[in-house]
Amino acid sequence: MKNILQNFFRGILIVLPVTATIYLIYSILKWINNIFNDFFFSWFDYQVPGLGILTGFATITFIGYLVSRAFAKPLVHIFEKIITRTPLVNIVYSSLKDLMEALVGDKKKFNKPVFIEFGVPGIKRFGFITEESLLHLGLADDVAVYCPHSYNFSGNLYIIPKEKVTPIETDSTNFMRFIVSGGVTKTHE
């Protein structure tokens, strides 16, 4: 009986993460497919599997192409000016835009892994320097350190004296994976 339970739990270690990942990816793709199928192809009486995803990918890629052209930049600037002057909408839009820029844009921010002493001496917290100059806030000797939470898409921003921040020489993608997994995923390999 003990061997059966051990094998069951070993199986869970494999099946659960794989199943959860597949389900999450499937759910996201299905959601995207349905949105674009409903938006672009509402005149059809049937759903075309995958057509919404292809249409969404093509549409987003085409928009990216247009926005990168010189003639579109003034239009994008006007659009962003309108959005940023709209109360409440500007907070959501600006925050999401800055986050996307930090993750995948030209101004990546999560590429300087560090640890900081936190609270009790000897207790350390992992994070990323997101801003090295806080002079505009009157904090010349401080840096901004973002510390993501484990198993969650959230985190805290700390303003820390520069001398209290210790850089870590490691790949930032694996380091983020290490933090988000609660320290379970290895940072090397």
Side-chain angles (χ1 to χ4, degrees):
M1 185 65 174
K2 184 178 178 183
N3 285 341
I4 292 173
L5 284 176
Q6 283 179 335
N7 288 333
F8 174 77
F9 288 121
R10 282 187 196 128
I12 286 286
L13 290 175
I14 299 297
V15 171
L16 187 63
V18 169
T19 305
T21 302
I22 290 171
Y23 178 75
L24 183 63
I25 290 170
Y26 168 78
S27 296
I28 290 170
L29 290 176
K30 184 177 174 185
W31 177 71
I32 291 170
N33 188 55
N34 288 340
I35 285 175
F36 282 100
N37 259 337
D38 292 344
F39 186 70
F40 288 111
F41 304 106
S42 57
W43 58 87
F44 291 133
D45 290 336
Y46 56 93
Q47 294 285 323
V48 180
L51 189 57
I53 293 170
L54 291 174
T55 305
F57 179 78
T59 302
I60 292 169
T61 303
F62 183 67
I63 290 170
Y65 171 78
L66 285 178
V67 168
S68 66
R69 300 292 158 239
F71 72 88
K73 290 186 181 187
L75 297 173
V76 171
H77 181 70
I78 291 168
F79 173 76
E80 285 190 335
K81 199 172 185 179
I82 292 169
I83 292 281
T84 55
R85 289 187 177 177
T86 307
L88 297 178
V89 173
N90 67 343
I91 295 170
V92 174
Y93 175 77
S94 299
S95 299
L96 288 175
K97 183 178 181 204
D98 290 345
L99 178 63
M100 293 310 295
E101 275 285 330
L103 292 172
V104 295
D106 295 332
K107 304 172 190 170
K108 289 186 177 74
K109 291 287 188 176
F110 297 108
N111 58 359
K112 296 175 187 158
V114 297
F115 75 80
I116 57 175
E117 294 269 340
F118 189 74
V120 181
I123 302 296
K124 295 172 181 60
R125 182 137 195 186
F126 290 130
F128 297 89
I129 293 178
T130 56
E131 192 63 52
E132 293 190 60
S133 174
L134 298 176
L135 199 54
H136 62 284
L137 298 174
L139 303 169
D141 296 329
D142 294 333
V143 295
V145 177
Y146 178 74
C147 298
H149 292 147
S150 300
Y151 295 104
N152 203 342
F153 291 104
S154 65
N156 294 318
L157 179 66
Y158 299 101
I159 307 304
I160 309 284
K162 290 178 186 177
E163 67 271 1
K164 300 279 185 181
V165 177
T166 306
I168 297 175
E169 295 297 324
T170 188
D171 177 61
S172 57
T173 303
N174 288 335
F175 193 66
M176 179 67 89
R177 197 175 296 136
F178 176 76
I179 294 171
V180 172
S181 74
V184 176
T185 302
K186 292 184 172 122
T187 58
H188 61 281
E189 287 183 77

